[in-house]
Amino acid sequence: MIPAPLRASLGYDAVGMPREHGERILDRLHRVGCIFADARRWWWIVPAGSHIGVVWPPSISYAIGAQLADPSWTSTRPKPGREHPRLIHSPETGQPYTPPIPLYFLTCRVAGSAPLWSLETANRPAAQ
C-alpha cells in the first residue's frame, strides 16, 4: 500500500472523508503525505495513534492500521461494484504522513464541527 521508497516508521492509520472534503483540504495544507481515493472517499495516511485524545467529526472515518471492512482496500477480493482505493498523492521524499493536527482542524472546519479533545477517547476504539 505505502510506496516502497517511503518509510512508515511510526506505523500508520488512515483518515477517510468524502471526496469533496478531501479536495478542499488538499488546497489548504502545506505538507501532504500519501492520499488514497476510491469513488466515495479520500484516505489520508497519518501516524498510528492520531485518534488518541481527539474526537474526529462524525462524517470522518478513522481506520486504525488503515484496515476497515469498508472500503475493501485491504481485502483480497473486492466487492462487486466497488473499486479499491488508488494512490492519488505521494510525497516526493520522506515519510508518507500528513501531519495529523492540521488535518484534524481542517476536517473539523469543513465538517462544521468544533474541535474536541478528550482523554477518554484514548481508551475507546476510534470512530469508524
Side-chain angles (χ1 to χ4, degrees), residues 5-79:
L6 301 174
R7 299 178 64 185
S9 57
L10 301 174
Y12 60 90
D13 294 343
V15 176
M17 64 191 66
R19 179 186 49 79
E20 54 277 359
H21 286 356
E23 290 171 347
R24 289 177 60 197
I25 289 171
L26 181 61
D27 292 338
R28 290 171 172 82
L29 285 173
H30 294 290
R31 200 174 82 198
V32 178
C34 292
I35 303 171
F36 292 83
D38 59 27
R40 298 176 305 140
R41 299 183 81 70
W42 280 26
W43 295 91
W44 303 68
I45 300 301
V46 295
S50 295
H51 65 293
I52 297 172
V54 297
V55 179
W56 289 85
S59 62
I60 304 302
S61 299
Y62 191 93
I64 296 172
Q67 295 180 9
L68 281 176
D70 180 25
S72 60
W73 66 343
T74 58
S75 174
T76 55
R77 290 188 209 166
K79 295 175 183 172

Side-chain angles (χ1 to χ4, degrees), residues 88-101:
I88 62 167
H89 183 273
S90 180
E92 295 293 320
T93 59
Q95 297 188 338
Y97 308 115
T98 295
I101 293 176

